[in-house]
Each structure stands twice: as C-alpha cells, then as structure tokens.
Amino acid sequence: MMTKDLSWQMQGGLLFCKMMDVNIEKSNIGVLKVKEYLERENYEVKNVSHNKDYKGYDILAIKNRVSIKIEVKCSSRNKGIPDCYSTEFDSDMKFTADYLYIVRLDEDKKPKSIEILSKEDIDKYSLLHKKKKIIKIANKLKTDLKNR
C-alpha cells in the first residue's frame, strides 16, 4: 500500500486537500543522499533520473574516466529490496545498472544507511525474478483531477 501525505490549501474560499505521493519524495531523498556520498568519494555525479535518454538507472558516476550506472531505491523498511520497474532490467531479466543503492530511512524519513548491491549480486537470481504488468494511468486524467 502506498503512503500518502496530505497538504491543505485554500482556493477561491474553499479548502482543498491535496495528496502528495510520498514515494516520489523518498526517491528524491535517496538520489540526493547517494549523490552526496559519491561526491565525497571524488566521483563526478550526474542525476539522470528524469532524463529519458538514461533508462534503468538514476545516477551516472564517473571517476578516473570510468563510468558506473547506479539505480537508487529508498525504503523505510530495515530489510528487503524494494520492487523495481521493468525498465531497470533487460529482456533476459538482467539488471541494467552496475549497482543498486538502497537508502534506508528512519521513522522521520531521514536517511540512516546505504546498502549496495552489484549487478552480479542481482543477476545471480535473474531466473527467479518475477515481472508484473501494471496499467499506467493517463497523465491527462491526473492533470484534470489536479485542476479540479
């Protein structure tokens, strides 16, 4: 079940409740935390999470002319691996990125640790990964609902 935060705002004398997807906020926290960590390790870091030319990973990190692709997941749970999107795997269920960084959050949604899994760690289980189909709701519907 997805958690929602509620924010209240006045529009035209009416009080509206707006739901904000906490998962979007969490993913931004995770990417920022990983970016900070990699910069401390002297990597040049590019956040490519919203760039359609870079499918399957959130960060491109470069050090000594070697680049690595990193997918970032954020979780409030102390163990386990958050689900991935199909774009993060190829047709043979092999992980696209070189690493998966899992940022663990405390009860106040503050980062407390980062766990790192390599592509090799994930690909060992490629025959056991399960693909689910989802229906993507039309952006126009989301926009129309937001503008009500």
Side-chain angles (χ1 to χ4, degrees):
M1 179 167 62
M2 189 176 302
T3 306
K4 300 283 184 182
D5 275 351
L6 303 176
S7 75
W8 296 89
Q9 61 187 17
M10 290 293 290
Q11 286 183 350
L14 298 173
L15 185 62
F16 285 89
C17 177
K18 203 173 194 179
M19 291 192 301
M20 299 176 302
D21 192 336
V22 173
N23 286 340
I24 293 171
E25 181 183 322
K26 282 195 325 189
S27 69
N28 289 335
I29 291 169
V31 169
L32 289 173
K33 194 64 178 175
V34 170
K35 185 176 184 294
E36 289 172 8
Y37 166 75
L38 291 169
E39 286 171 344
R40 282 195 311 270
E41 297 294 317
N42 297 315
Y43 280 90
E44 176 189 336
V45 181
K46 294 181 184 179
N47 178 350
V48 296
S49 60
H50 300 291
N51 188 327
K52 293 179 182 180
D53 293 332
Y54 299 89
K55 289 186 179 175
Y57 54 100
D58 297 313
I59 290 177
L60 182 63
I62 303 165
K63 185 175 179 180
N64 300 327
R65 290 191 257 172
V66 175
S67 63
I68 57 172
K69 299 176 285 188
I70 300 168
E71 174 58 27
V72 179
K73 298 290 180 191
C74 222
S75 178
S76 299
R77 297 181 183 191
N78 290 325
K79 58 183 178 179
I81 301 171
D83 288 338
C84 296
Y85 292 100
S86 61
T87 56
E88 296 163 358
F89 288 82
D90 66 17
S91 60
D92 294 324
M93 297 302 278
K94 301 289 185 182
F95 196 57
T96 303
D98 299 312
Y99 293 94
L100 172 62
Y101 281 48
I102 304 169
V103 178
R104 302 286 178 191
L105 303 177
D106 65 16
E107 55 278 350
D108 296 321
K109 298 181 189 170
K110 292 190 170 48
K112 63 180 180 178
S113 66
I114 299 175
E115 298 171 11
I116 302 171
L117 293 172
S118 70
K119 175 180 175 49
E120 291 77 25
D121 292 332
I122 297 166
D123 287 348
K124 284 180 201 173
Y125 299 89
S126 64
L127 295 176
L128 301 174
H129 298 320
K130 294 179 184 170
K131 189 174 185 178
K132 296 179 184 178
K133 293 188 179 197
I134 62 167
I135 303 297
K136 177 91 168 128
I137 300 297
N139 285 335
K140 174 102 173 87
L141 171 61
K142 293 177 189 177
T143 303
D144 288 350
L145 289 173
K146 201 183 292 185
N147 293 330
R148 280 189 182 175

